[in-house]
Amino acid sequence: MATIYQVSELAGVSLATVSRVMNNNARVSENTRNKVLAAMEQLGYRPNSIAQSLASNRSNSVGILVSELHGPFYGEMLSGIENECRAAGKHVIIAAGHSEEASEKDGIEFLISRSCDALILHVEAVSDEYLIKLANGNMPIVLINRFIPQLADNCISLDNELGGYLATKQLLQQGHTQLAYMAGPMWKSDAKDRYHGHLRAMAEHGLSFNPALLAEGDFQDSSGSACMQQLLAKGLPFSALVCANDEMAAGAMEVARAHGLNVPQDLSIVGFDNLILARYIYPKLTTIDYPIGEMGRMAARWVLKNIYQQQALQLKNIFQPVLVCRDSASAIAAG
Amino acid sequence: MATIYQVSELAGVSLATVSRVMNNNARVSENTRNKVLAAMEQLGYRPNSIAQSLASNRSNSVGILVSELHGPFYGEMLSGIENECRAAGKHVIIAAGHSEEASEKDGIEFLISRSCDALILHVEAVSDEYLIKLANGNMPIVLINRFIPQLADNCISLDNELGGYLATKQLLQQGHTQLAYMAGPMWKSDAKDRYHGHLRAMAEHGLSFNPALLAEGDFQDSSGSACMQQLLAKGLPFSALVCANDEMAAGAMEVARAHGLNVPQDLSIVGFDNLILARYIYPKLTTIDYPIGEMGRMAARWVLKNIYQQQALQLKNIFQPVLVCRDSASAIAAG
DNA sequence: TAGTATGATGTAAGCGCTTTCATTTATAGC
DNA sequence: GCTATAAATGAAAGCGCTTACATCATACTA
């Protein structure tokens, strides 16, 4: 691989000049610039990004921590981030945190040791305090799907409360009055917020929430099935079910079907996230759209603007979810 | 951030010694080692990986090119790779190729300029010649889901032909004799191989393949729907359908249902890939398992063994697909 | 015409490590 | 106690860049 040395020699200029035309950050005469460009071309020169990083103290890489690399959710997010970063010539280094505190911290340490210029984090297990401390260090971070008041500017989040509200509201407007709620793990803020949204909608319609119709799962489809079993076992009537995410909704739907319940005739179900699978399950799932790809993109823009000085970019911190109507929820039967 | 210099000063030894204990690659006395370790601890020292890379000419990073970051398939693969690499202290740099030649080449260039120690590629549009040339340069590459005879050692692939064979065989054993085939884009080698497997199974059962019952899609679910429309429009009878992937199978199933066909009573369907969605669609899809996560893991091991000298690892180049029986295919009705 | 900006280019000092080679210190053999 | 040998450590030269700072033309100004 050719080095800057050979380029400078071939072009008959100094190292510094070659560096200048590469970064075009200082005035170089048209003539010289062309000589250098020609030499680069001729040698097939590619700057060594490692050396650039060491010398400039910027690695041009952004670290990303997601809970999992597989699964329907994070792919969209990564895709959004990568697209935006790549277009700006930055690259992404990825680690998985597996929703466990130790693993998340470990991943963050790993990314830091890799000299990332900034971190985009989707973390769940780590505490607010830890993140605040991290943000006060000299590693810039942006948080996806998490809102911490002290770090408001660094958070790209969804109004989960509104989502829970909208999901519930839809069913209420369709005439349902007996609703069950299948929550995510309540230690996760998104699960909690969605639940609160549900409660608000219920209250708004003058309905009191029956705690017996609440089940708490872990966002996996298997727990959706398990929770549905529990709910049915109680023998309490309900004509609609709000699930805190699509996967649990899918699990619940399966159990409902096994119990001879038709969806949506006997039971309306609404999910949350609008994963790909929402379009594949039968009947197609009515759900709340989570624009995670767009949010990833926005997190990348945050970094481009705040770290790489692309001032022109517009930022947006809080996203509003919208309802996506499909086939799994319908008006309550007239009789 | 503390540097190696400060550590050496605090420990009262030279730079070189500190470097030695970090890499523990040369004999350092127990005593000295402890002093150095203590100094590191005290300073919270973390080696600067950029500087390490520049000095050692190894970046400890492996570049990965996938077609897309989102979608159900690549996530599994990335997850497998990341897991394996991370455990070995290597990191992954990811780029997307979007199944287009220019974009794939661009991504490869990008990864090379990032000084990766090796590349793991899932490329579709780029030619064999290009890859052979690339492999003959000094960037080690490993190919996933692609077999090129001259690069056999660098290929981690699935026996797609066998998969196509198994899918078809299952239906034949269930008594079906009139089978339709929905292929992927024939310029992709996996699509072609699966199709060949289908033909082999048919021939083995003494059945001739009716070209009118072949439709070529593009691996997307929308094209699965479109192809199904075409097939049904011909008015030719068939009791079973082999789809070259799960997404097309899902699209086809939907159209079948819209036409009043019950799956599997009226029409048996088998897919290929065993994506997550195969478990979610209704009825659950009988399909061929594509162990893409495992293959990603293997590609990572290839790199660890060949590039990072972890000699102990066992490698495997060709994976055998297996049939996963679910509910979408059943024995042909007795009548 | 000397004096002074101003733009273009060169010089050289790092960035924080690894690694070769030289040097010092310990161990053993006699 | 003295040499031969091995083990531990240090000195210093890079790795390929960036970036003050210095230098040198050139073009204006008065």
Side-chain angles (χ1 to χ4, degrees), chain B residues 13-14 16-17 20 27-29 32 55:
Chain B
V13 300
S14 72
T17 302
R20 287 189 186 103
R27 289 148 308 203
V28 175
S29 74
T32 310

PDB file of all heavy atoms in Angstrom, chain B residues 13-14 16-17 20 27-29 32 55, chain D residues 7-16:
ATOM      1  N   VAL B  13       9.303   1.226  35.385  1.00  0.00           N
ATOM      2  CA  VAL B  13       9.914   0.360  34.368  1.00  0.00           C
ATOM      3  C   VAL B  13       9.859   1.083  33.019  1.00  0.00           C
ATOM      4  O   VAL B  13       9.360   2.201  32.936  1.00  0.00           O
ATOM      5  CB  VAL B  13       9.164  -0.980  34.249  1.00  0.00           C
ATOM      6  CG1 VAL B  13       9.188  -1.726  35.577  1.00  0.00           C
ATOM      7  CG2 VAL B  13       7.729  -0.748  33.802  1.00  0.00           C
ATOM      8  N   SER B  14      10.355   0.437  31.995  1.00  0.00           N
ATOM      9  CA  SER B  14      10.345   1.087  30.688  1.00  0.00           C
ATOM     10  C   SER B  14       9.039   0.812  29.941  1.00  0.00           C
ATOM     11  O   SER B  14       8.294  -0.100  30.268  1.00  0.00           O
ATOM     12  CB  SER B  14      11.496   0.566  29.849  1.00  0.00           C
ATOM     13  OG  SER B  14      11.203  -0.759  29.453  1.00  0.00           O
ATOM     14  N   ALA B  16       8.721  -0.503  27.119  1.00  0.00           N
ATOM     15  CA  ALA B  16       8.756  -1.836  26.520  1.00  0.00           C
ATOM     16  C   ALA B  16       8.214  -2.886  27.481  1.00  0.00           C
ATOM     17  O   ALA B  16       7.464  -3.772  27.085  1.00  0.00           O
ATOM     18  CB  ALA B  16      10.186  -2.176  26.118  1.00  0.00           C
ATOM     19  N   THR B  17       8.594  -2.749  28.714  1.00  0.00           N
ATOM     20  CA  THR B  17       8.129  -3.727  29.699  1.00  0.00           C
ATOM     21  C   THR B  17       6.610  -3.675  29.876  1.00  0.00           C
ATOM     22  O   THR B  17       5.948  -4.707  29.938  1.00  0.00           O
ATOM     23  CB  THR B  17       8.833  -3.480  31.041  1.00  0.00           C
ATOM     24  OG1 THR B  17      10.234  -3.573  30.821  1.00  0.00           O
ATOM     25  CG2 THR B  17       8.414  -4.517  32.061  1.00  0.00           C
ATOM     26  N   ARG B  20       5.056  -5.331  27.147  1.00  0.00           N
ATOM     27  CA  ARG B  20       5.181  -6.789  27.274  1.00  0.00           C
ATOM     28  C   ARG B  20       4.127  -7.382  28.199  1.00  0.00           C
ATOM     29  O   ARG B  20       3.538  -8.398  27.893  1.00  0.00           O
ATOM     30  CB  ARG B  20       6.570  -7.148  27.790  1.00  0.00           C
ATOM     31  CG  ARG B  20       7.640  -6.960  26.749  1.00  0.00           C
ATOM     32  CD  ARG B  20       8.981  -7.517  27.195  1.00  0.00           C
ATOM     33  NE  ARG B  20       9.991  -7.172  26.198  1.00  0.00           N
ATOM     34  CZ  ARG B  20      10.882  -6.191  26.339  1.00  0.00           C
ATOM     35  NH1 ARG B  20      10.927  -5.479  27.453  1.00  0.00           N
ATOM     36  NH2 ARG B  20      11.730  -5.930  25.366  1.00  0.00           N
ATOM     37  N   ARG B  27       8.819 -12.998  28.331  1.00  0.00           N
ATOM     38  CA  ARG B  27       8.962 -13.266  29.752  1.00  0.00           C
ATOM     39  C   ARG B  27       9.202 -11.981  30.526  1.00  0.00           C
ATOM     40  O   ARG B  27      10.090 -11.206  30.201  1.00  0.00           O
ATOM     41  CB  ARG B  27      10.106 -14.249  29.985  1.00  0.00           C
ATOM     42  CG  ARG B  27       9.777 -15.650  29.522  1.00  0.00           C
ATOM     43  CD  ARG B  27      11.022 -16.329  29.035  1.00  0.00           C
ATOM     44  NE  ARG B  27      11.707 -15.499  28.042  1.00  0.00           N
ATOM     45  CZ  ARG B  27      12.544 -15.999  27.149  1.00  0.00           C
ATOM     46  NH1 ARG B  27      12.824 -17.280  27.128  1.00  0.00           N
ATOM     47  NH2 ARG B  27      13.115 -15.208  26.276  1.00  0.00           N
ATOM     48  N   VAL B  28       8.404 -11.793  31.499  1.00  0.00           N
ATOM     49  CA  VAL B  28       8.556 -10.656  32.398  1.00  0.00           C
ATOM     50  C   VAL B  28       8.511 -11.273  33.788  1.00  0.00           C
ATOM     51  O   VAL B  28       7.708 -12.172  34.038  1.00  0.00           O
ATOM     52  CB  VAL B  28       7.385  -9.662  32.241  1.00  0.00           C
ATOM     53  CG1 VAL B  28       7.493  -8.546  33.257  1.00  0.00           C
ATOM     54  CG2 VAL B  28       7.342  -9.109  30.830  1.00  0.00           C
ATOM     55  N   SER B  29       9.355 -10.810  34.656  1.00  0.00           N
ATOM     56  CA  SER B  29       9.382 -11.438  35.976  1.00  0.00           C
ATOM     57  C   SER B  29       8.073 -11.176  36.722  1.00  0.00           C
ATOM     58  O   SER B  29       7.424 -10.148  36.538  1.00  0.00           O
ATOM     59  CB  SER B  29      10.543 -10.884  36.805  1.00  0.00           C
ATOM     60  OG  SER B  29      10.254  -9.586  37.237  1.00  0.00           O
ATOM     61  N   THR B  32       7.939  -7.764  38.474  1.00  0.00           N
ATOM     62  CA  THR B  32       7.735  -6.613  37.586  1.00  0.00           C
ATOM     63  C   THR B  32       6.307  -6.590  37.067  1.00  0.00           C
ATOM     64  O   THR B  32       5.640  -5.560  37.059  1.00  0.00           O
ATOM     65  CB  THR B  32       8.690  -6.708  36.385  1.00  0.00           C
ATOM     66  OG1 THR B  32       9.995  -6.950  36.871  1.00  0.00           O
ATOM     67  CG2 THR B  32       8.663  -5.429  35.595  1.00  0.00           C
ATOM     68  N   ALA B  55       0.993   0.628  15.294  1.00  0.00           N
ATOM     69  CA  ALA B  55       2.321   0.087  15.557  1.00  0.00           C
ATOM     70  C   ALA B  55       2.437  -1.379  15.136  1.00  0.00           C
ATOM     71  O   ALA B  55       3.470  -1.810  14.647  1.00  0.00           O
ATOM     72  CB  ALA B  55       2.653   0.241  17.034  1.00  0.00           C
TER      73      ALA B  55
ATOM     74  P    DA D   7      16.033 -19.040  29.402  1.00  0.00           P
ATOM     75  OP1  DA D   7      15.218 -20.197  29.817  1.00  0.00           O
ATOM     76  OP2  DA D   7      16.034 -18.569  27.985  1.00  0.00           O
ATOM     77  O5'  DA D   7      15.678 -17.810  30.336  1.00  0.00           O
ATOM     78  C5'  DA D   7      16.025 -17.858  31.713  1.00  0.00           C
ATOM     79  C4'  DA D   7      15.876 -16.474  32.292  1.00  0.00           C
ATOM     80  O4'  DA D   7      16.971 -15.643  31.832  1.00  0.00           O
ATOM     81  C3'  DA D   7      14.588 -15.767  31.855  1.00  0.00           C
ATOM     82  O3'  DA D   7      13.978 -15.258  33.026  1.00  0.00           O
ATOM     83  C2'  DA D   7      15.046 -14.675  30.904  1.00  0.00           C
ATOM     84  C1'  DA D   7      16.458 -14.388  31.412  1.00  0.00           C
ATOM     85  N9   DA D   7      17.394 -13.893  30.401  1.00  0.00           N
ATOM     86  C8   DA D   7      17.686 -14.431  29.174  1.00  0.00           C
ATOM     87  N7   DA D   7      18.604 -13.770  28.505  1.00  0.00           N
ATOM     88  C5   DA D   7      18.940 -12.730  29.352  1.00  0.00           C
ATOM     89  C6   DA D   7      19.863 -11.671  29.229  1.00  0.00           C
ATOM     90  N6   DA D   7      20.638 -11.493  28.170  1.00  0.00           N
ATOM     91  N1   DA D   7      19.954 -10.799  30.251  1.00  0.00           N
ATOM     92  C2   DA D   7      19.184 -10.989  31.334  1.00  0.00           C
ATOM     93  N3   DA D   7      18.287 -11.947  31.566  1.00  0.00           N
ATOM     94  C4   DA D   7      18.215 -12.790  30.521  1.00  0.00           C
ATOM     95  P    DA D   8      12.636 -14.393  32.967  1.00  0.00           P
ATOM     96  OP1  DA D   8      11.892 -14.637  34.213  1.00  0.00           O
ATOM     97  OP2  DA D   8      12.003 -14.615  31.650  1.00  0.00           O
ATOM     98  O5'  DA D   8      13.209 -12.910  33.016  1.00  0.00           O
ATOM     99  C5'  DA D   8      13.778 -12.447  34.237  1.00  0.00           C
ATOM    100  C4'  DA D   8      14.189 -11.003  34.058  1.00  0.00           C
ATOM    101  O4'  DA D   8      15.110 -10.909  32.949  1.00  0.00           O
ATOM    102  C3'  DA D   8      13.036 -10.045  33.747  1.00  0.00           C
ATOM    103  O3'  DA D   8      13.100  -9.018  34.734  1.00  0.00           O
ATOM    104  C2'  DA D   8      13.330  -9.523  32.338  1.00  0.00           C
ATOM    105  C1'  DA D   8      14.823  -9.722  32.215  1.00  0.00           C
ATOM    106  N9   DA D   8      15.363  -9.970  30.880  1.00  0.00           N
ATOM    107  C8   DA D   8      15.017 -10.949  30.000  1.00  0.00           C
ATOM    108  N7   DA D   8      15.717 -10.953  28.881  1.00  0.00           N
ATOM    109  C5   DA D   8      16.597  -9.898  29.052  1.00  0.00           C
ATOM    110  C6   DA D   8      17.612  -9.367  28.225  1.00  0.00           C
ATOM    111  N6   DA D   8      17.925  -9.869  27.023  1.00  0.00           N
ATOM    112  N1   DA D   8      18.305  -8.322  28.690  1.00  0.00           N
ATOM    113  C2   DA D   8      18.005  -7.826  29.898  1.00  0.00           C
ATOM    114  N3   DA D   8      17.075  -8.238  30.777  1.00  0.00           N
ATOM    115  C4   DA D   8      16.405  -9.289  30.278  1.00  0.00           C
ATOM    116  P    DT D   9      12.017  -7.864  34.722  1.00  0.00           P
ATOM    117  OP1  DT D   9      11.991  -7.294  36.092  1.00  0.00           O
ATOM    118  OP2  DT D   9      10.782  -8.328  34.094  1.00  0.00           O
ATOM    119  O5'  DT D   9      12.719  -6.816  33.787  1.00  0.00           O
ATOM    120  C5'  DT D   9      13.778  -6.047  34.310  1.00  0.00           C
ATOM    121  C4'  DT D   9      14.386  -5.203  33.211  1.00  0.00           C
ATOM    122  O4'  DT D   9      14.691  -6.001  32.060  1.00  0.00           O
ATOM    123  C3'  DT D   9      13.479  -4.096  32.685  1.00  0.00           C
ATOM    124  O3'  DT D   9      13.930  -2.896  33.278  1.00  0.00           O
ATOM    125  C2'  DT D   9      13.683  -4.119  31.173  1.00  0.00           C
ATOM    126  C1'  DT D   9      14.821  -5.098  30.983  1.00  0.00           C
ATOM    127  N1   DT D   9      14.815  -5.906  29.736  1.00  0.00           N
ATOM    128  C2   DT D   9      15.786  -5.629  28.799  1.00  0.00           C
ATOM    129  O2   DT D   9      16.634  -4.769  28.926  1.00  0.00           O
ATOM    130  N3   DT D   9      15.728  -6.421  27.663  1.00  0.00           N
ATOM    131  C4   DT D   9      14.820  -7.440  27.415  1.00  0.00           C
ATOM    132  O4   DT D   9      14.884  -8.084  26.382  1.00  0.00           O
ATOM    133  C5   DT D   9      13.840  -7.673  28.443  1.00  0.00           C
ATOM    134  C7   DT D   9      12.822  -8.743  28.275  1.00  0.00           C
ATOM    135  C6   DT D   9      13.877  -6.898  29.551  1.00  0.00           C
ATOM    136  P    DG D  10      13.192  -1.495  32.934  1.00  0.00           P
ATOM    137  OP1  DG D  10      13.359  -0.606  34.107  1.00  0.00           O
ATOM    138  OP2  DG D  10      11.855  -1.766  32.385  1.00  0.00           O
ATOM    139  O5'  DG D  10      14.149  -0.942  31.778  1.00  0.00           O
ATOM    140  C5'  DG D  10      15.554  -0.962  32.005  1.00  0.00           C
ATOM    141  C4'  DG D  10      16.287  -0.363  30.814  1.00  0.00           C
ATOM    142  O4'  DG D  10      16.306  -1.327  29.733  1.00  0.00           O
ATOM    143  C3'  DG D  10      15.633   0.891  30.236  1.00  0.00           C
ATOM    144  O3'  DG D  10      16.672   1.768  29.834  1.00  0.00           O
ATOM    145  C2'  DG D  10      14.871   0.370  29.033  1.00  0.00           C
ATOM    146  C1'  DG D  10      15.774  -0.751  28.550  1.00  0.00           C
ATOM    147  N9   DG D  10      15.109  -1.827  27.837  1.00  0.00           N
ATOM    148  C8   DG D  10      14.026  -2.556  28.260  1.00  0.00           C
ATOM    149  N7   DG D  10      13.668  -3.484  27.412  1.00  0.00           N
ATOM    150  C5   DG D  10      14.568  -3.359  26.363  1.00  0.00           C
ATOM    151  C6   DG D  10      14.665  -4.092  25.153  1.00  0.00           C
ATOM    152  O6   DG D  10      13.982  -5.032  24.770  1.00  0.00           O
ATOM    153  N1   DG D  10      15.719  -3.626  24.363  1.00  0.00           N
ATOM    154  C2   DG D  10      16.560  -2.593  24.706  1.00  0.00           C
ATOM    155  N2   DG D  10      17.492  -2.296  23.810  1.00  0.00           N
ATOM    156  N3   DG D  10      16.472  -1.899  25.827  1.00  0.00           N
ATOM    157  C4   DG D  10      15.452  -2.340  26.611  1.00  0.00           C
ATOM    158  P    DA D  11      16.346   3.283  29.492  1.00  0.00           P
ATOM    159  OP1  DA D  11      17.008   4.124  30.508  1.00  0.00           O
ATOM    160  OP2  DA D  11      14.894   3.412  29.252  1.00  0.00           O
ATOM    161  O5'  DA D  11      17.090   3.476  28.097  1.00  0.00           O
ATOM    162  C5'  DA D  11      17.972   2.479  27.604  1.00  0.00           C
ATOM    163  C4'  DA D  11      18.342   2.815  26.159  1.00  0.00           C
ATOM    164  O4'  DA D  11      17.756   1.815  25.296  1.00  0.00           O
ATOM    165  C3'  DA D  11      17.855   4.156  25.624  1.00  0.00           C
ATOM    166  O3'  DA D  11      18.761   4.584  24.633  1.00  0.00           O
ATOM    167  C2'  DA D  11      16.486   3.809  25.057  1.00  0.00           C
ATOM    168  C1'  DA D  11      16.737   2.402  24.485  1.00  0.00           C
ATOM    169  N9   DA D  11      15.583   1.501  24.572  1.00  0.00           N
ATOM    170  C8   DA D  11      14.630   1.450  25.553  1.00  0.00           C
ATOM    171  N7   DA D  11      13.730   0.512  25.370  1.00  0.00           N
ATOM    172  C5   DA D  11      14.118  -0.094  24.177  1.00  0.00           C
ATOM    173  C6   DA D  11      13.585  -1.157  23.441  1.00  0.00           C
ATOM    174  N6   DA D  11      12.491  -1.832  23.805  1.00  0.00           N
ATOM    175  N1   DA D  11      14.212  -1.505  22.305  1.00  0.00           N
ATOM    176  C2   DA D  11      15.317  -0.837  21.937  1.00  0.00           C
ATOM    177  N3   DA D  11      15.918   0.180  22.557  1.00  0.00           N
ATOM    178  C4   DA D  11      15.261   0.505  23.679  1.00  0.00           C
ATOM    179  P    DA D  12      18.476   5.943  23.837  1.00  0.00           P
ATOM    180  OP1  DA D  12      19.810   6.447  23.441  1.00  0.00           O
ATOM    181  OP2  DA D  12      17.544   6.792  24.616  1.00  0.00           O
ATOM    182  O5'  DA D  12      17.734   5.431  22.513  1.00  0.00           O
ATOM    183  C5'  DA D  12      18.319   4.364  21.760  1.00  0.00           C
ATOM    184  C4'  DA D  12      17.484   4.121  20.524  1.00  0.00           C
ATOM    185  O4'  DA D  12      16.370   3.253  20.837  1.00  0.00           O
ATOM    186  C3'  DA D  12      16.860   5.386  19.928  1.00  0.00           C
ATOM    187  O3'  DA D  12      16.736   5.173  18.545  1.00  0.00           O
ATOM    188  C2'  DA D  12      15.482   5.406  20.566  1.00  0.00           C
ATOM    189  C1'  DA D  12      15.164   3.922  20.452  1.00  0.00           C
ATOM    190  N9   DA D  12      14.097   3.427  21.299  1.00  0.00           N
ATOM    191  C8   DA D  12      13.609   3.951  22.465  1.00  0.00           C
ATOM    192  N7   DA D  12      12.630   3.267  22.994  1.00  0.00           N
ATOM    193  C5   DA D  12      12.461   2.212  22.122  1.00  0.00           C
ATOM    194  C6   DA D  12      11.584   1.120  22.111  1.00  0.00           C
ATOM    195  N6   DA D  12      10.672   0.904  23.049  1.00  0.00           N
ATOM    196  N1   DA D  12      11.690   0.243  21.086  1.00  0.00           N
ATOM    197  C2   DA D  12      12.618   0.460  20.142  1.00  0.00           C
ATOM    198  N3   DA D  12      13.506   1.448  20.046  1.00  0.00           N
ATOM    199  C4   DA D  12      13.366   2.287  21.073  1.00  0.00           C
ATOM    200  P    DA D  13      16.870   6.343  17.524  1.00  0.00           P
ATOM    201  OP1  DA D  13      18.285   6.720  17.421  1.00  0.00           O
ATOM    202  OP2  DA D  13      15.835   7.350  17.855  1.00  0.00           O
ATOM    203  O5'  DA D  13      16.454   5.598  16.175  1.00  0.00           O
ATOM    204  C5'  DA D  13      16.824   4.226  15.989  1.00  0.00           C
ATOM    205  C4'  DA D  13      15.672   3.496  15.321  1.00  0.00           C
ATOM    206  O4'  DA D  13      14.687   3.123  16.309  1.00  0.00           O
ATOM    207  C3'  DA D  13      14.941   4.340  14.276  1.00  0.00           C
ATOM    208  O3'  DA D  13      14.595   3.504  13.191  1.00  0.00           O
ATOM    209  C2'  DA D  13      13.710   4.827  15.047  1.00  0.00           C
ATOM    210  C1'  DA D  13      13.412   3.601  15.882  1.00  0.00           C
ATOM    211  N9   DA D  13      12.589   3.827  17.067  1.00  0.00           N
ATOM    212  C8   DA D  13      12.635   4.872  17.947  1.00  0.00           C
ATOM    213  N7   DA D  13      11.767   4.776  18.930  1.00  0.00           N
ATOM    214  C5   DA D  13      11.108   3.588  18.675  1.00  0.00           C
ATOM    215  C6   DA D  13      10.073   2.917  19.341  1.00  0.00           C
ATOM    216  N6   DA D  13       9.503   3.362  20.454  1.00  0.00           N
ATOM    217  N1   DA D  13       9.637   1.752  18.812  1.00  0.00           N
ATOM    218  C2   DA D  13      10.218   1.298  17.697  1.00  0.00           C
ATOM    219  N3   DA D  13      11.204   1.834  16.982  1.00  0.00           N
ATOM    220  C4   DA D  13      11.604   2.991  17.530  1.00  0.00           C
ATOM    221  P    DG D  14      14.112   4.124  11.806  1.00  0.00           P
ATOM    222  OP1  DG D  14      13.498   3.054  10.923  1.00  0.00           O
ATOM    223  OP2  DG D  14      15.257   4.899  11.352  1.00  0.00           O
ATOM    224  O5'  DG D  14      12.982   5.125  12.327  1.00  0.00           O
ATOM    225  C5'  DG D  14      11.735   5.172  11.688  1.00  0.00           C
ATOM    226  C4'  DG D  14      11.003   3.850  11.812  1.00  0.00           C
ATOM    227  O4'  DG D  14      10.886   3.500  13.228  1.00  0.00           O
ATOM    228  C3'  DG D  14       9.598   3.981  11.267  1.00  0.00           C
ATOM    229  O3'  DG D  14       9.254   2.848  10.508  1.00  0.00           O
ATOM    230  C2'  DG D  14       8.709   4.123  12.483  1.00  0.00           C
ATOM    231  C1'  DG D  14       9.520   3.483  13.599  1.00  0.00           C
ATOM    232  N9   DG D  14       9.336   4.267  14.812  1.00  0.00           N
ATOM    233  C8   DG D  14      10.006   5.419  15.190  1.00  0.00           C
ATOM    234  N7   DG D  14       9.602   5.891  16.340  1.00  0.00           N
ATOM    235  C5   DG D  14       8.624   4.996  16.750  1.00  0.00           C
ATOM    236  C6   DG D  14       7.820   4.996  17.925  1.00  0.00           C
ATOM    237  O6   DG D  14       7.829   5.802  18.863  1.00  0.00           O
ATOM    238  N1   DG D  14       6.927   3.922  17.940  1.00  0.00           N
ATOM    239  C2   DG D  14       6.836   2.960  16.953  1.00  0.00           C
ATOM    240  N2   DG D  14       5.919   2.012  17.145  1.00  0.00           N
ATOM    241  N3   DG D  14       7.581   2.946  15.864  1.00  0.00           N
ATOM    242  C4   DG D  14       8.446   3.992  15.827  1.00  0.00           C
ATOM    243  P    DC D  15       8.453   3.020   9.157  1.00  0.00           P
ATOM    244  OP1  DC D  15       8.957   2.010   8.208  1.00  0.00           O
ATOM    245  OP2  DC D  15       8.491   4.454   8.827  1.00  0.00           O
ATOM    246  O5'  DC D  15       6.950   2.695   9.515  1.00  0.00           O
ATOM    247  C5'  DC D  15       6.529   1.441  10.004  1.00  0.00           C
ATOM    248  C4'  DC D  15       5.112   1.580  10.478  1.00  0.00           C
ATOM    249  O4'  DC D  15       5.108   1.981  11.862  1.00  0.00           O
ATOM    250  C3'  DC D  15       4.334   2.657   9.727  1.00  0.00           C
ATOM    251  O3'  DC D  15       3.579   2.010   8.706  1.00  0.00           O
ATOM    252  C2'  DC D  15       3.443   3.296  10.786  1.00  0.00           C
ATOM    253  C1'  DC D  15       3.998   2.802  12.136  1.00  0.00           C
ATOM    254  N1   DC D  15       4.499   3.862  13.056  1.00  0.00           N
ATOM    255  C2   DC D  15       4.105   3.862  14.400  1.00  0.00           C
ATOM    256  O2   DC D  15       3.323   2.984  14.792  1.00  0.00           O
ATOM    257  N3   DC D  15       4.587   4.823  15.223  1.00  0.00           N
ATOM    258  C4   DC D  15       5.434   5.748  14.751  1.00  0.00           C
ATOM    259  N4   DC D  15       5.883   6.661  15.616  1.00  0.00           N
ATOM    260  C5   DC D  15       5.846   5.758  13.392  1.00  0.00           C
ATOM    261  C6   DC D  15       5.357   4.807  12.591  1.00  0.00           C
ATOM    262  P    DG D  16       3.710   2.464   7.175  1.00  0.00           P
ATOM    263  OP1  DG D  16       3.162   1.378   6.344  1.00  0.00           O
ATOM    264  OP2  DG D  16       5.070   2.964   6.936  1.00  0.00           O
ATOM    265  O5'  DG D  16       2.727   3.705   7.096  1.00  0.00           O
ATOM    266  C5'  DG D  16       1.359   3.511   7.387  1.00  0.00           C
ATOM    267  C4'  DG D  16       0.719   4.845   7.640  1.00  0.00           C
ATOM    268  O4'  DG D  16       1.300   5.444   8.818  1.00  0.00           O
ATOM    269  C3'  DG D  16       0.911   5.863   6.515  1.00  0.00           C
ATOM    270  O3'  DG D  16      -0.349   6.448   6.289  1.00  0.00           O
ATOM    271  C2'  DG D  16       1.898   6.862   7.087  1.00  0.00           C
ATOM    272  C1'  DG D  16       1.538   6.811   8.556  1.00  0.00           C
ATOM    273  N9   DG D  16       2.580   7.232   9.474  1.00  0.00           N
ATOM    274  C8   DG D  16       3.937   7.116   9.302  1.00  0.00           C
ATOM    275  N7   DG D  16       4.626   7.585  10.323  1.00  0.00           N
ATOM    276  C5   DG D  16       3.667   8.027  11.213  1.00  0.00           C
ATOM    277  C6   DG D  16       3.812   8.634  12.489  1.00  0.00           C
ATOM    278  O6   DG D  16       4.845   8.893  13.100  1.00  0.00           O
ATOM    279  N1   DG D  16       2.581   8.927  13.062  1.00  0.00           N
ATOM    280  C2   DG D  16       1.363   8.669  12.471  1.00  0.00           C
ATOM    281  N2   DG D  16       0.296   9.023  13.172  1.00  0.00           N
ATOM    282  N3   DG D  16       1.218   8.112  11.282  1.00  0.00           N
ATOM    283  C4   DG D  16       2.400   7.819  10.712  1.00  0.00           C
TER     284       DG D  16
END
